[in-house]
Amino acid sequence: MDIEQQDQPHSPTDPPKINRLSDSVVNRIAAGEVIQRPVSAVKELIENSLDAASTSINLLLKDGGLKLIQISDDGHGIRYEDLPILCERHTTSKLSSFEDLMSIKSMGFRGEALASMTYVSHVTVTTITKGQLHGYRVSYRDGAMEHEPRACAAVKGTQIMVENLFYNMTARKKTLQSSADDYSKIVDLVSRFAIHHNNVSFSCRKHGATRADVHTVVTSSTLDAIRSVYGVSVARNLIKLEASDNDPSSVFEMHGFMSNANYAAKKITMVLFINDRLVEWSALKRAIEIVYATTLPKASKPFVYISIVLPPENIDVNVHPTKREVSVLNQEAIIEQIQSVVESRLRSSDEARTFQEQACPGNILYSMLNVFYSGRQSSLSQNNTSKEVNLSPTTPGSRSQKVPVHKLVRTDSLDPAGRLHAYVQTKLDGHIEKTASLNAVRSSVRQRRNPKGSLDLTSVQELLDEINNKCDPGMMDIVRHCTYIGMADDVFAVIQHNTHLYLVNVVNLSKELIYQQVLSRFARLNAISISDPLPLKDLIILALKDEDLDSECNDEDHLQEKIAEMNSELLKQKSEIMDEFFSIYIDKHGNVATLPVILDQYTPDMDRIPEFVLCLGNDVDWEDEKNCIQGVSVALGNFYAMHPPMLPNPSGEGLLFYKKRKVLDNCTKENACDSTGSNIDNDKVDHELLSEATTEWAQREWTIQHVLFPSMRLFFKPPVSMATNGTFVKVNTHSSFIQSNLSFLRISFLKFHYDSMRYIILIWGEIVY
């Protein structure tokens, strides 16, 4: 009877049987809640790095994080004993009991982030703790180690690689097809962390890219961090925001920055941290939007950064799987107070709103350049005028009427319209174009370079006073308000100021700018590490051989050896001074390990480091304080100056260098021979060398336009001597001057005909805007 009942099918009305899910299914479901998309994984990894007391966090991503997320930090690392349970669920060093959650100060506490990643990706961890001789690397899958930790070389801290994210979740992966969208979300996330944690340097770049899309250094000012990440146009329109609660039971404190009435953007940017935790608070966001909506036009949205500090027991952090939201005690009162402060500050700023009015452009040059730009047209306008008038604001971010590219007018130093590149320069390689994205351009000029109170040394102040006393006020105006046009040749750039053209020697300019920056940021320079430290002795010998290429005497080699040893010992003795004041670190073995960061997004040509090291040993007076500081600063200026690359410029006659040669015994008339007796084969080109040279020259020109000249406008104080030593040359538009100096003035990459170039310069100089 019982057997017959078991064989009977269940009725459709019977309740379904409850089954216990397997651990693998439970873990996969949990992982899908915690790691919703690549940006979720990045947020968890950054928070772990911050909890590890890191001062440097570097991110590398491929395909928006789906193929690869690599994060490296310099935190305290992970103990070898903890590696077996590192990626198990609910294993954490942040708390041990539920009561600890009531006063939690760390960002992580659940122990689910790394575990979740192992269930939906392949995770590899490399770590080293203080005092260890080597680090350990181990891979994880499904919450467990795939093998025993293996000893390996490692730098301080931890590196975590998350590869093939959502490889086993087909539906989830199909919904994340746009890698560009995911990457932009990650860049935005890193930017938010960077402005709040300004005591930590952040870097975020795509795999294969030469430049980081986010690159910040440690700074003491939140405003400087905002300027570095979001740009000058945002930072200059911010108002400081502060509020506190007098109620002892609440102990509410708030500080931050908010945009004034002159700022306008298409969407709101609200960066909110509560107890150093990046969160979203929709109620507060709506309250602030209401305040701005009553003051600004409908199309204008604000920028707001707020940091709120509350007693840990007044917030509940365990309300969202990704920790994106928190629950706050007495949130209505806090929102009302913040809203009141924002409204008060905004109304006070509204009393001084400014708007700009631009005059109609002239059409004189427009008709002329049409002949030479093959259908592309350009026009020059009158100078900008600013008035207090009731017009629509034209501040950055506002909605403006679309203007065709060929009718854009170059009116100020921030406007790219009218630059020669817009009309005649051919497109560069793909990775150079990506480098010149808006984020990369911004990050090259954002960071302020003049911290006050660097170091109370009389000699430094005297050198800075000399710079100020020698500054030419007339040239200062040119420097501050010039517009970059293009490179005239390998050394000279063309700039415009008002109605005049100037040729600028970028090598001399960059030398002086670097020299001034080293002194103004004395003892506050950040450092970049050299992956393979360079031995001093070998560098000095190499520099000495470059100076005396014709010498083949053994005695000369012995002398060079002795000079190299003496200079190496001298620089090793002075390593502490160079490290503390100039961020040039020489280790105990006599290797150059770090160099200073002087201009953001720019590293010097490492082929010139032998000459630099030799200069430190031979040309610096180490006995006199002022002469020593000045000597090292001058050496850095020479080293970091934007010299032309070693390889010849591929444009023009330089292309002959890349033609493949074959040595012949006798050069015939049919084949042209160079001075070495080699036959130039015009049909064959060394494409690999040519590509390398093209990239180097294009990168140099990009750096000149987007790093050197923006930095010059912000910080440079031109000495009077630059008006007479050929650094700044005003282009005389008289025909006699043009006739005698045309070879010097030619703009090589335009490849204009002789008469055409002369005609354009003559007419340009005679136009009155």
Side-chain angles (χ1 to χ4, degrees), residues 588-609:
K588 61 182 180 180
H589 302 294
N591 298 321
V592 182
T594 68
L595 291 172
V597 178
I598 301 176
L599 294 182
D600 195 24
Q601 292 282 318
Y602 172 64
T603 54
D605 184 356
M606 297 304 290
D607 288 337
R608 299 183 182 274
I609 195 170

Side-chain angles (χ1 to χ4, degrees), residues 469-663:
N469 295 335
K470 293 179 180 178
C471 181
D472 187 331
M475 291 182 62
M476 175 74 82
D477 182 62
I478 296 174
V479 164
R480 291 290 184 266
H481 304 99
C482 69
T483 302
Y484 175 84
I485 298 176
M487 291 299 294
D489 58 17
D490 296 349
V491 175
F492 282 88
V494 182
I495 64 172
Q496 177 187 344
H497 178 254
N498 292 337
T499 60
H500 302 291
L501 294 179
Y502 295 85
L503 290 169
V504 182
N505 187 315
V506 295
V507 177
N508 292 348
L509 173 66
S510 55
K511 280 183 184 180
E512 183 65 22
L513 176 61
I514 295 295
Y515 171 75
Q516 294 181 10
Q517 282 295 286
V518 172
L519 291 177
S520 63
R521 299 169 56 212
F522 183 72
R524 289 183 178 272
L525 292 163
N526 295 295
I528 53 175
S529 298
I530 301 175
S531 57
D532 295 321
L534 307 172
L536 281 173
K537 185 177 177 180
D538 293 349
L539 292 174
I540 295 172
I541 291 176
L542 187 61
L544 291 171
K545 288 183 177 180
D546 287 342
E547 287 186 353
D548 193 8
L549 292 175
D550 297 331
S551 176
E552 298 180 357
C553 179
N554 293 332
D555 293 340
E556 188 71 22
D557 293 340
H558 180 68
L559 180 60
Q560 291 176 356
E561 187 86 12
K562 294 209 69 171
I563 294 174
E565 288 179 0
M566 292 174 60
N567 282 341
S568 298
E569 289 301 319
L570 172 64
L571 296 180
K572 284 166 65 176
Q573 293 172 12
K574 306 300 181 183
S575 61
E576 186 175 352
I577 296 175
M578 289 191 290
D579 184 26
E580 181 178 359
F581 296 152
F582 301 101
S583 295
I584 303 171
Y585 177 62
I586 298 174
D587 62 26
K588 61 182 180 180
H589 302 294
N591 298 321
V592 182
T594 68
L595 291 172
V597 178
I598 301 176
L599 294 182
D600 195 24
Q601 292 282 318
Y602 172 64
T603 54
D605 184 356
M606 297 304 290
D607 288 337
R608 299 183 182 274
I609 195 170
E611 179 186 351
F612 168 64
V613 173
L614 180 62
C615 183
L616 289 179
N618 282 354
D619 301 340
V620 176
D621 181 3
W622 293 98
E623 303 304 321
D624 181 80
E625 180 183 291
K626 181 177 178 181
N627 291 339
C628 172
I629 294 172
Q630 186 177 35
V632 177
S633 301
V634 169
L636 284 168
N638 291 332
F639 177 36
Y640 279 73
M642 296 182 183
H643 301 277
M646 298 294 187
L647 291 172
N649 194 335
S651 62
E653 296 178 357
L655 186 60
L656 293 175
F657 178 82
Y658 305 97
K659 299 286 187 180
K660 289 188 176 179
R661 290 170 167 79
K662 49 186 178 182
V663 179

